[in-house]
Amino acid sequence: MEKVSLGTNAFIFPMPVVLVGTQAMGKANFMTVGWVSRVNASPPMIAVMINKAHYTTPFIVENGTFSVNVPSADMVEKTDYCGLVSGGKVDKSKLFDVFYGSLKTAPMIKECPLCIECRLVKALELPTNDIFIGEIMASYADESRLKDGKPDFKKVNTLLLTMPDNGYWTIGERAGKAWSDGKKLMSKAEKK
Amino acid sequence: MEKVSLGTNAFIFPMPVVLVGTQAMGKANFMTVGWVSRVNASPPMIAVMINKAHYTTPFIVENGTFSVNVPSADMVEKTDYCGLVSGGKVDKSKLFDVFYGSLKTAPMIKECPLCIECRLVKALELPTNDIFIGEIMASYADESRLKDGKPDFKKVNTLLLTMPDNGYWTIGERAGKAWSDGKKLMSKAEKK
């Protein structure tokens, strides 16, 4: 099959959508972020990539904390709203039911099925974005969205973002088991 | 709703699954990676987070290049296999139909509907993982998976990974439009 060029600004997989929480000028503030990933296994660390111009940016550095909140698909309007309006212009502190963990300055969203509380361990400047790396100090889930103590992703019903078509999506069907399905292709020698 | 603690090793959203390509000892090698994200808007950059012990790690540094290949769900067995066996023990160069772009040392996978060719611009060491940041120099897609020149994500049919349940998933239904659905919550003043 012949390939066609898509240029350099490639967004080629669905991105998880989260709400990043910061304490800003004494109030909880949340922004929508699609560039987020676990970055270290042990200790567990997560990174969020945020454009330097955002209201959130200096407060992550000032507080040395932030939160990562995973909205469910039924929160799509509020989630999108947090990406449309800046905390510098609009008070978003009343938009959600907010709670705090032991870090005190990382506001989290009760309506979100899953919330992560982070301590900033490193910030890295890139040309237009900052990478904020946080050590995960605690995480919180709704018991009703768990199965055997683990998130049941159909119940969590997270949002995914695709670009450049700017689509929100839900998670689909199970397609396999990781660290398992590929064993069929392993030779006897490789299995040893 | 009361929250329960999920501890610090939180994996709370579906992760895009990609195959990272490197040229290793003169051969194409591919490893499965779930920790990947765009990290800079302009110039476009993408990062992959890889455990230091992996065979791939030193070759990204040596070559100063790598590729990010997005498999479709029908490639689940080969994709999982690349995460089960190390290139240090098994030759994975014949597993796929491989092609190269202008960087010469970033092997890409023809069977993958979408491929990105990267030049390493920064490496950051964390305790157990390295963050490799690449500038996107080119990207390639199958024309049959595009719609109006953009990826049609239902046709691309990417894989998602969830942990700690180790599930592969497909993308589900459209749940909304980003930078749009939240406008309903904006006041007249906010829309100005």
Side-chain angles (χ1 to χ4, degrees):
Chain A
M1 196 179 293
E2 282 308 300
K3 300 280 184 194
V4 294
S5 170
L6 280 192
T8 61
N9 196 23
F11 299 92
I12 60 172
F13 37 74
M15 298 170 263
V17 177
V18 300
L19 290 159
V20 172
T22 45
Q23 193 72 0
M25 309 295 279
K27 287 178 176 175
N29 185 63
F30 300 97
M31 73 169 286
T32 317
V33 169
W35 295 358
V36 55
S37 179
R38 276 289 300 267
V39 292
N40 196 63
S42 178
M45 294 180 188
I46 193 169
V48 292
M49 278 55 81
I50 298 180
N51 188 291
K52 290 174 197 296
H54 279 296
Y55 182 67
T56 290
T57 309
F59 296 108
I60 292 180
V61 177
E62 187 181 305
N63 298 323
T65 63
F66 63 92
S67 74
V68 176
N69 303 273
V70 181
S72 60
D74 56 15
M75 294 171 67
V76 65
E77 283 185 16
K78 283 191 179 181
T79 300
D80 195 56
Y81 175 78
C82 286
L84 283 169
V85 297
S86 168
K89 291 185 179 169
V90 174
D91 178 1
K92 294 185 244 182
S93 68
K94 302 281 186 290
L95 197 61
F96 304 105
D97 198 356
V98 174
F99 73 104
Y100 293 82
S102 58
L103 294 181
K104 308 292 184 197
T105 54
M108 290 174 279
I109 299 172
K110 268 202 183 148
E111 294 92 323
C112 284
L114 299 157
C115 308
I116 296 181
E117 193 180 14
C118 301
R119 177 179 71 85
L120 181 68
V121 291
K122 200 167 188 78
L124 179 69
E125 278 202 41
L126 294 179
T128 55
N129 294 67
D130 287 324
I131 301 181
F132 293 113
I133 299 172
E135 182 178 344
I136 301 175
M137 305 309 287
S139 68
Y140 305 90
D142 291 341
E143 200 160 14
S144 63
R145 314 253 195 176
L146 302 180
K147 191 178 169 182
D148 304 328
K150 297 174 187 174
D152 178 328
F153 286 90
K154 275 297 200 185
K155 285 185 188 166
V156 173
N157 194 20
T158 49
L159 278 176
L160 299 160
L161 170 68
T162 56
M163 289 176 71
D165 61 326
N166 299 348
Y168 288 122
W169 302 78
T170 56
I171 194 168
E173 297 306 314
R174 282 287 282 234
K177 185 140 182 73
W179 293 282
S180 176
D181 287 352
K183 286 181 185 167
K184 293 172 199 164
L185 301 180
M186 288 169 78
S187 64
K188 277 185 186 167
E190 288 167 38
K191 282 183 181 165
K192 274 180 189 165
Chain B
M1 197 178 292
E2 282 308 300
K3 299 281 184 193
V4 294
S5 171
L6 280 192
T8 60
N9 196 23
F11 298 93
I12 60 170
F13 37 74
M15 297 170 263
V17 177
V18 299
L19 291 159
V20 171
T22 46
Q23 193 71 359
M25 308 294 279
K27 287 178 178 177
N29 185 62
F30 300 97
M31 74 169 286
T32 317
V33 169
W35 295 359
V36 55
S37 178
R38 275 290 300 267
V39 293
N40 196 64
S42 178
M45 294 180 189
I46 193 168
V48 293
M49 278 55 81
I50 298 180
N51 189 292
K52 290 175 198 297
H54 279 295
Y55 182 67
T56 290
T57 309
F59 296 108
I60 292 180
V61 177
E62 188 181 304
N63 298 323
T65 63
F66 63 92
S67 74
V68 175
N69 303 272
V70 181
S72 60
D74 56 16
M75 294 171 65
V76 63
E77 284 185 15
K78 284 190 178 181
T79 300
D80 195 55
Y81 175 79
C82 286
L84 283 169
V85 297
S86 168
K89 291 183 179 168
V90 174
D91 178 0
K92 295 185 243 181
S93 68
K94 303 279 186 291
L95 197 59
F96 304 105
D97 197 356
V98 174
F99 73 104
Y100 293 82
S102 59
L103 295 181
K104 309 289 184 199
T105 54
M108 289 175 280
I109 299 173
K110 270 204 182 146
E111 294 93 322
C112 284
L114 298 157
C115 308
I116 296 182
E117 194 180 13
C118 300
R119 177 179 70 86
L120 181 69
V121 290
K122 200 167 187 75
L124 179 69
E125 279 201 41
L126 294 178
T128 56
N129 294 66
D130 287 324
I131 301 182
F132 293 114
I133 299 172
E135 182 178 345
I136 301 176
M137 304 310 287
S139 68
Y140 305 90
D142 291 341
E143 201 159 13
S144 62
R145 314 252 195 176
L146 302 179
K147 192 178 167 181
D148 304 328
K150 298 173 185 174
D152 178 329
F153 287 91
K154 275 297 198 184
K155 286 185 188 166
V156 173
N157 196 19
T158 48
L159 278 175
L160 299 160
L161 170 68
T162 57
M163 290 176 69
D165 61 326
N166 299 349
Y168 288 122
W169 303 76
T170 56
I171 195 168
E173 296 306 314
R174 281 287 283 233
K177 183 138 184 73
W179 293 281
S180 174
D181 286 353
K183 286 182 184 167
K184 293 172 197 164
L185 302 179
M186 288 170 78
S187 66
K188 278 186 186 167
E190 287 167 39
K191 282 183 182 165
K192 275 180 190 165

